[in-house]
Amino acid sequence: MSLIESTQRYFHAHVRARIAVLLSAPVAWLGVLYIGSLAALFITSIWKIDTFTSKVVREFTLSNFIDVLTDKAYFNVTVRTVGVAIAVTIICAIIAIPMAFFIARVAKPQSRPVLIALVITPLWASYLVKIYAWRTMMAPDSGFLNWLISPLGLSSPGFGMVAVIIGLSYLWLPYMVLPIYAGMEKLPDSIIDASADLGAKPGRTFLKVILPLTWPAIIAGSLFTFSLSLGDYITVQILGGTFQMLGNVVYQNFALNLPFAAAVALIPVIVMIIYLASVRKTGALDNL
Amino acid sequence: MKISLSRKSAIAIAAGALLLSGCSSSGDDSTSGAYAGPVGDTPGTINVLAWPGYAEDGSTDPAVDWVTPFETETGCTVNVKTYGTSDEAVQLMQSGGYDVVSASGDASLRLIFGEDLQPVNLDLIPNYVDVFDNLKDRPWNTIEGVNYGVPHGRGANVLQYTISKVKPAPDSWSVVWEPNSPLKGKITAYDSAIYIADAAVYLMSTKPELGITDPYALDSTQFEAAMELLKQQKPLVAEYWGDYTKYVAAVQAGSIVAGTSWQVIANVLNGEKATVGAVKPKEGATGWSDTWMISKNTESIDCAYKWLNWIVSPATNAQAAEYFGEAPANSKACALTASKTHCESYHADETEYWSDVYYWKTPTEACLDGRTDVKCIPYAEWVKAWSSFRNS
Amino acid sequence: MNLSRTAKVVLWGFMGFGLSFIYVPLMLVVINSFNKNKSFNWPPTGFTTMWWSKAASNPGVKDAIILSVLTATLATIIALILGSLAAAAIARYNFFGRDVISLMFVLPIALPGIVTGIALNNVFTNFFGGLTFFTIIIGHATFCVVVVFNNVAARYRRMGSSFEEASMDLGADRFTTFRLVTFPMIRNALVAGALLSFGLSFDEIIVTTFTAGAGQTTLPIWIFQNLFRPNQAPIVNVVAAALIMVSIVPIYLSQRLTQERK
């Protein structure tokens, strides 16, 4: 019996060995490198820095956490950041659900790949260029938006929180449309027909049958929009004026106060872990 | 905002004071640690970390380039990276990968004491002898007689304003600080903790009772006053700037009409036609004096020394000083500037002009103005306060 | 499903609004790539094609595109290998710790990019000696693994294990089964995952800012450096417009590939 055959037999008999072989490389990569570097980062949050050279000094201190928790500014910026992330998620959902439904159920089957391609194509346009396009659009006096709505007596909101919410909703919309479309496409026709047969009008079918069934997919989409908004700092720098979010706090302090930046970085991580844990039950994680 | 002084930071104050008063730091003395030379012809690559406008390689404006001639003459390859604030410079130098940096006074000492730099052997830099005497051996680049670099030039942070939108031409910082400023909502301010010193400079004129003599030596009362002024300014500000190209774009789009700036930004804006003016207001201004320094771990030491010699040579220094809009470091550069009055207009050899220009330096707990009866706020606390302020 | 006229109108309306919302800024980018005025005030005062010719001859752009393509390709290859291995294990077997490992494969995308960026930067500067070309690839591969994993795991689940079992019952060994049965069935998912991974890596800016070495300029970094520069910003628009047009084809193809046969 050749070496290959005996190896095959071994693996056939030992399930655990098969799993181990399959998983060893990926888990080593993600477990050691990724989780390890996250751990290394969060450990620095209990250290301090030399006040003159800004280098990390490995002495235990809780001052970073105390500063984050007691300074009202950081509480405010956390609330604002979570608020923006929620607003972006809701706006994306409001636009994405009808679009996904249209593509999955109303459009002709041949046109579906084309429509989805149209929705996904912007993902390939550079993130920076898209945000810069919004910057020129929202410029207070000379922008496109101003030019468009000034006949109505309105003017562009300029750079600030509103511009950031619009910009982020724009960026993450495809990430919301895709999973919802996938979820709606999977719905068997029979269930929808059954609902109609039982006398429900389309609106009721939508609210009572389709929406609950695609809820995991909607949550899956929201994971993207929420997490991507929570940590964003570039859009905020370009569209935000003097408005700041958590990502900016981390970015500003990373250079000279890594322990403090690490402590602040824990906030979005904790928020996301809570969010992930609470949506695990909905099965959303299988819909990514 | 509480500033706590634990025993540990008291020790840090003492250590900092010792270091600053010039006690020898690591047992090395004089030029040990510096390259002995001679500077050879080994080709290599140097990554240069520079303020915008200091190491132009043609990518901003194809006609403005003193990097490519250097590469052609020496065979060294140069990659330039520009940064927006001294904090960025310190962080990038500490993360490694850069061979040469042009550091302002508020970054240089942090880098020296952070052991990110090597001393520079000035005998290997022939052009150094022509540097203005009042720029040689300055406390921000020379420790106990050990030199860490060659000066580049110096300038003030100017008040820039869009000529068509700000009439009459301002001569005071009040247009950016006072709540009733007619330019509300279109002001900009520098996005770095060091800007707190600019608030202190304004307070030196408007609130002399605070007793501020050095905007980088602020005790807690003076610091609180500066932070209050900044909070008062915030509603006037459209954007805080840290990227000069974004600043240029915003002025062109009209969303910013006045604020603290560098002469190079005004020069870029006035490139095609005069759109902005730049002045040093009557209250004085913060400023900077920069030094080219060499990283401790550079692999192309010959190219690094050649760059230092090149950048401080009369011809290049003249080009750079004129493009940026600052006083050059090399006295022979004055004869080579395209405008014959350049050195005069930038007060290169004067002392009076610079008497109310407060060069960037790193605040320490030991008061930089010499007071021993109070403790001053160190830069790490400036950064914390600034971060809290920006996010409130 | 039978929809009333109002419902159909509303849906068409949303679709129309959604598509215009998506494409108006992109069209603005394309128009601005022909804009004579460098500061992009609206409406444009004149049109020119000079930016397109300048972009074609700009060495910075070319180097950046090459570096980005190289990085994305290598990261995608690593992601394909690691992602499909992990997907096979997670989707096929039930074992102690499966949920935890499953969660681990969601984290790189679920956690904000800046956290991943500074964590990797911290490790690279303190333990790996600095940032280089390879540190970029490591950073990218880490989140690209996630998209490949998701696509392939989903495919495994939909596929069921019956085909593989049948193949082995008929006498094929594991390698042959994989080659002739499993691989053709997951091939589409691999391609879709690879395309998504390539796209993510090509456009990534946040993690890249923290993991790229001193001279490493990927396309997004080049764009970031030149976005506001008066002489370069129009070239950035050209690059973006070109990217949009070039990307339509692979996206359409990948959509066709992942269409289920009903």
Side-chain angles (χ1 to χ4, degrees), chain A residues 55 67 71 74 80 135 237, chain B residues 114 116 246 387-388 391:
Chain A
K55 296 210 165 173
D67 287 334
D71 192 334
Y74 298 116
R80 267 186 266 133
R135 184 178 165 92
Q237 277 177 349
Chain B
D116 300 303
K246 196 156 151 232
S387 172
S388 178
N391 287 291

Side-chain angles (χ1 to χ4, degrees), chain A residues 18 33 118 137 170 202 227, chain C residues 2 21-23 28 93 110 138:
Chain A
R18 289 209 298 271
L33 187 63
L118 280 179
M137 277 177 73
Y170 176 81
S227 137
Chain C
N2 274 327
F21 181 57
I22 292 178
Y23 279 94
L28 218 63
Y93 303 103
I138 296 176

Side-chain angles (χ1 to χ4, degrees), chain A residues 58-102:
Chain A
R58 291 180 190 187
E59 280 167 27
F60 178 79
T61 175
L62 286 174
S63 62
N64 297 311
F65 293 106
I66 296 176
D67 287 334
V68 173
L69 292 170
T70 54
D71 192 334
K72 200 152 184 301
Y74 298 116
F75 178 74
N76 288 344
V77 76
T78 305
V79 167
R80 267 186 266 133
T81 309
V82 173
V84 167
I86 293 177
V88 169
T89 303
I90 294 178
I91 294 177
C92 281
I94 293 179
I95 303 180
I97 294 175
M99 282 180 77
F101 185 73
F102 180 92

Side-chain angles (χ1 to χ4, degrees), chain B residues 114-160:
Chain B
E115 295 182 7
D116 300 303
L117 302 171
Q118 55 174 285
V120 169
N121 184 349
L122 292 172
D123 297 330
L124 300 176
I125 303 186
N127 285 314
Y128 181 74
V129 293
D130 300 316
V131 168
F132 284 110
D133 283 332
N134 55 15
L135 281 179
K136 286 185 179 169
D137 303 327
R138 305 269 74 211
W140 54 80
N141 56 28
T142 309
I143 311 290
E144 263 283 279
V146 179
N147 280 293
Y148 281 86
V150 306
H152 179 89
R154 52 183 168 165
N157 291 318
V158 294
L159 171 61
Q160 180 183 290

Side-chain angles (χ1 to χ4, degrees), chain C residues 25-106:
Chain C
L26 295 180
M27 284 194 323
L28 218 63
V29 169
V30 175
I31 293 179
N32 272 329
S33 68
F34 295 103
N35 192 339
K36 222 190 202 155
N37 186 343
K38 284 186 275 199
S39 49
F40 307 139
N41 293 337
W42 192 266
T45 44
F47 293 98
T48 169
T49 53
M50 72 168 158
W51 304 121
W52 284 82
S53 40
K54 278 204 177 161
S57 54
N58 186 317
V61 178
K62 290 202 206 125
D63 293 337
I65 293 181
I66 293 175
L67 185 65
S68 278
V69 169
L70 210 55
T71 315
T73 311
L74 290 173
T76 302
I77 293 176
I78 298 177
L80 279 174
I81 299 173
L82 296 178
S84 40
L85 284 176
I90 303 271
R92 278 268 172 276
Y93 303 103
N94 210 335
F95 52 90
F96 175 73
R98 188 177 80 156
D99 280 343
V100 173
I101 295 191
S102 215
L103 183 67
M104 195 168 73
F105 275 87
V106 171

Side-chain angles (χ1 to χ4, degrees), chain B residues 183-358:
Chain B
L183 309 174
K184 182 174 169 139
K186 291 192 187 268
I187 301 286
T188 186
Y190 193 47
D191 197 1
S192 163
I194 203 75
Y195 189 68
I196 300 175
D198 291 70
V201 167
Y202 191 62
L203 287 175
M204 281 165 79
S205 298
T206 53
K207 291 213 175 120
E209 64 271 17
L210 283 170
I212 304 176
T213 51
D214 181 337
Y216 305 96
L218 302 174
D219 61 40
S220 26
T221 326
Q222 297 164 335
F223 190 76
E224 295 276 355
M227 293 309 299
E228 271 311 306
L229 184 60
L230 284 166
K231 288 187 186 122
Q232 181 189 295
Q233 186 197 43
K234 201 171 187 194
L236 307 172
V237 176
E239 282 180 305
Y240 290 89
W241 73 272
D243 174 345
Y244 89 108
T245 56
K246 196 156 151 232
Y247 190 172
V248 166
V251 172
Q252 284 172 334
S255 57
I256 291 178
V257 302
T260 178
S261 179
W262 302 326
Q263 190 63 47
V264 67
I265 297 173
N267 291 348
V268 169
L269 283 165
N270 287 332
E272 276 155 47
K273 74 174 203 270
T275 45
V276 299
V279 294
K280 173 172 76 105
K282 61 186 187 208
E283 295 93 355
T286 51
W288 27 265
S289 178
D290 300 334
T291 314
W292 284 99
M293 314 178 100
I294 304 183
S295 152
K296 196 159 177 207
N297 304 313
T298 177
E299 286 171 2
S300 317
I301 189 72
D302 291 328
C303 285
Y305 267 90
K306 287 197 186 149
W307 173 260
L308 257 57
N309 192 41
W310 170 264
I311 197 72
V312 82
S313 66
T316 317
N317 198 220
Q319 260 189 302
E322 200 156 17
Y323 178 71
F324 190 90
E326 56 174 355
N330 191 323
S331 53
K332 292 197 174 147
C334 291
L336 297 173
T337 49
S339 148
K340 288 307 150 201
T341 53
H342 178 90
C343 279
E344 231 182 276
S345 17
Y346 286 98
H347 314 275
D349 210 4
E350 276 180 49
T351 32
E352 213 206 292
Y353 177 82
W354 303 102
S355 59
D356 65 351
V357 174
Y358 306 96

Side-chain angles (χ1 to χ4, degrees), chain A residues 48-55 59-60 63-64 67 71-74 76-77 80 132 135 139-142 159 236-246 248-249 251-257 260, chain B residues 6 8-9 12 19-20 87-88 90-91 94 109-110 113-116 165 186 191 234 237-240 246 249-250 252-255 362-365 378-380 383-384 386-392:
Chain A
K48 27 157 78 144
I49 49 162
D50 177 307
T51 52
F52 190 67
T53 60
S54 302
K55 296 210 165 173
E59 280 167 27
F60 178 79
S63 62
N64 297 311
D67 287 334
D71 192 334
K72 200 152 184 301
Y74 298 116
N76 288 344
V77 76
R80 267 186 266 133
Y132 185 56
R135 184 178 165 92
D141 295 318
S142 52
F159 304 132
V236 181
Q237 277 177 349
I238 295 183
L239 292 177
T242 57
F243 181 70
Q244 300 249 112
M245 296 198 340
L246 276 174
N248 302 92
V249 181
Y251 186 69
Q252 281 162 353
N253 286 287
F254 153 75
L256 297 177
N257 197 341
F260 185 70
Chain B
S6 66
K8 290 226 169 101
S9 42
L19 284 172
L20 287 172
D87 298 334
E88 237 183 285
V90 171
Q91 187 263 324
Q94 285 177 349
L109 286 179
R110 286 191 269 163
F113 289 116
E115 295 182 7
D116 300 303
K165 302 248 170 78
K186 291 192 187 268
D191 197 1
K234 201 171 187 194
V237 176
E239 282 180 305
Y240 290 89
K246 196 156 151 232
Q252 284 172 334
S255 57
T362 312
T364 55
E365 218 158 24
Y379 191 63
V383 172
K384 262 209 199 133
W386 180 259
S387 172
S388 178
F389 157 73
R390 282 283 270 125
N391 287 291
S392 52

